[in-house]
């Protein structure tokens, strides 16, 4: 029995989730499966993706398709929709979740990885959204959830490109949400604070202050996925999970810019501060 959507009547029937092999994407896939949604899961980590897909299909008796592909490549978004077309399926939900971080002073950080990040966070998300909207069934309710970050609210020293991509995604999402006011499409931007996923370790950031769980609250991917799913279903255009994180989001709205950038610098610095090459 599918869980009813209070606002619009029905939960998604087929959802695309990117970055679905790990962390929040994996938790979103599970959240969607518990609500009866079929899935197209996309991630570059093929073996982990297959393992997760097999578990979900078995536990929740939903259809789970996978695409092991790199979203920094220009043709990956089109491949996802070609796969659906080939299967005769139309997605009614898109979860743009894949992402990663690159840490260090911009002068010394890895430009190739930063460009890859812009491709994944900004370009692939734009492509997937355009394809999803173009191919949607307008008789159904359609939903896009973009995973940005609380990082969207302030410039981020030592993670300058990452924070900038997050601001791009928030702005893009809010503009789309307004364009689609009172139509068949809901667009929601999820802005989590720190989460307990492999994200910090992958980026070599476990000694950054933010990772400590204070002053921002570190949440589990499962809790964030549950709250993010609910926010999407309730038609919230932007959602920051966690009361303490919402307090910081509010402060970011009202604090003078120089003050919030200094705070961001402090919280994104290593416990042994970044002095030079890093
Ligand atoms: N964790 C946090 O504190 C936090 C806070 C705010 C926002 N977020 C955002 O939340 C989202 C999910 O992150 P997470 O914490 O769940 O991290 P995660 O556990 O590392 O999961 C991210 C997944 O995305 C995949 N991915 C990365 N680049 C990809 C690409 N080019 N093509 C296909 N798949 C790719 C990763 O594969 P690989 O493992 O192979 O890289 C990984 O499976 C990200 O957008 C992140 O920016 C995270």
């Amino acid at each position: 029995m599918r869980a009813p959507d209070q606002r619009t009547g029905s939960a998604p029937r087929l959802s695309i989730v990117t970055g679905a092999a790990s962390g929040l994407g994996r938790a979103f896939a599970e959240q969607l499966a518990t609500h009866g949604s079929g899935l197209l899961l996309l991630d570059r980590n093929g073996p982990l993706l297959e393992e997760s897909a097999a578990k979900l299909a078995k536990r929740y008796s939903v259809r789970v398709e996978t695409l092991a592909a790199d979203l920094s490549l220009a043709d990956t978004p089109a491949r996802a929709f070609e796969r659906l077309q080939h299967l005769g399926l139309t997605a009614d939900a898109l979860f743009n979740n894949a992402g990663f971080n690159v840490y260090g002073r911009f002068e010394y950080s890895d430009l190739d990885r930063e460009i890859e990040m812009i491709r994944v966070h900004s370009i692939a998300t734009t492509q997937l959204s355009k394809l999803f909207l173009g191919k949607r069934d307008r008789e159904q309710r359609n939903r896009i959830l973009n995973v940005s970050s609380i990082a969207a609210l302030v410039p981020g020293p030592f993670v300058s490109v990452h924070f900038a991509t997050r601001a791009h995604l928030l702005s893009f999402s809010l503009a789309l949400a307004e364009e689609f006011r009172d139509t068949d499409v809901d667009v929601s931007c999820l802005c989590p604070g720190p989460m307990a996923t492999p994200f910090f370790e992958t980026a070599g950031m476990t000694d950054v202050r933010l990772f400590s769980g204070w002053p921002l609250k570190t949440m589990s991917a499962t809790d964030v996925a549950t709250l993010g799913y609910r926010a999407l279903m309730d038609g919230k255009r932007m959602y920051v999970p966690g009361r303490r994180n919402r307090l910081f989001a509010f402060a970011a709205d009202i604090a003078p810019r120089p003050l919030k950038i200094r705070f961001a610098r402090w919280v994104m610095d290593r416990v042994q501060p970044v002095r030079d090459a890093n």
Side-chain angles (χ1 to χ4, degrees):
M1 188 70 183
R2 311 232 158 140
D5 167 14
Q6 297 160 343
R7 184 165 175 265
T8 57
S10 64
R13 293 182 307 170
L14 182 70
S15 309
I16 302 172
V17 183
T18 70
S22 171
L24 183 60
R26 194 174 169 125
F28 265 131
E30 178 144 20
Q31 181 68 213
L32 286 157
T34 62
H35 288 85
S37 177
L39 296 164
L40 172 63
L41 305 181
L42 191 156
D43 200 290
R44 64 180 164 195
N45 190 329
L48 216 54
L49 190 63
E50 292 304 333
E51 181 206 307
S52 170
K55 272 191 195 153
L56 291 176
K58 189 163 175 221
R59 187 175 302 166
Y60 299 104
S61 306
V62 292
R63 180 171 187 167
V64 187
E65 299 289 336
T66 57
L67 180 59
D70 184 342
L71 275 169
S72 68
L73 303 177
D75 65 344
T76 297
R79 282 180 57 206
F81 283 88
E82 280 159 17
R83 164 70 73 83
L84 290 184
Q85 192 170 0
H86 178 71
L87 295 166
L89 299 172
T90 303
D92 59 354
L94 168 64
F95 285 67
N96 282 312
N97 165 77
F100 61 93
N101 209 341
V102 177
Y103 190 80
R105 275 180 187 276
F106 181 71
E107 185 180 359
Y108 306 109
S109 54
D110 184 338
L111 180 62
D112 290 341
R113 285 282 282 164
E114 283 164 343
I115 289 173
E116 188 187 331
M117 184 166 58
I118 293 168
R119 292 204 170 109
V120 176
H121 293 188
S122 303
I123 297 176
T125 302
T126 307
Q127 289 173 296
L128 285 165
S129 302
K130 184 82 90 182
L131 288 162
F132 173 78
L133 291 167
K135 293 182 185 300
R136 76 189 193 274
D137 176 354
R138 290 163 194 257
E139 302 302 313
Q140 304 288 330
R141 176 127 305 265
N142 295 286
R143 299 178 174 93
I144 298 177
L145 185 139
N146 288 328
V147 179
S148 175
S149 164
I150 202 164
L153 306 177
V154 59
F158 314 125
V159 273
S160 54
V161 179
H162 181 87
F163 275 39
T165 64
R166 278 18 202 129
H168 168 278
L169 190 52
L170 175 61
S171 171
F172 174 63
S173 304
L174 293 175
L176 284 197
E178 182 57 30
E179 284 185 21
F180 284 99
R181 175 191 287 275
D182 300 330
T183 68
D184 60 298
V185 181
D186 287 326
V187 181
S188 181
C189 190
L190 179 64
C191 297
M195 289 183 289
T197 68
F199 179 85
F200 281 89
E201 205 172 334
T202 307
M205 290 174 62
T206 52
D207 59 347
V208 163
R209 279 196 187 91
L210 183 68
F211 183 69
S212 70
W214 188 91
L216 277 81
K217 183 179 165 62
T218 300
M219 297 175 70
S220 76
T222 303
D223 286 350
V224 172
T226 306
L227 293 166
Y229 177 83
R230 198 179 301 153
L232 176 68
M233 299 305 277
D234 288 347
K236 291 202 167 83
R237 292 180 173 197
M238 176 185 169
Y239 183 68
V240 178
R243 226 174 296 157
R244 199 172 352 136
N245 295 340
R246 275 197 292 283
L247 195 64
F248 277 95
F250 175 68
D253 270 347
I254 59 169
R257 187 172 283 142
L259 191 67
K260 61 192 186 193
I261 297 175
R262 286 300 293 273
F263 174 77
R265 178 189 180 123
W266 178 78
V267 88
M268 296 313 300
D269 205 347
R270 297 194 191 279
V271 175
Q272 295 294 321
V274 173
R275 294 274 174 248
D276 202 357
N278 197 301

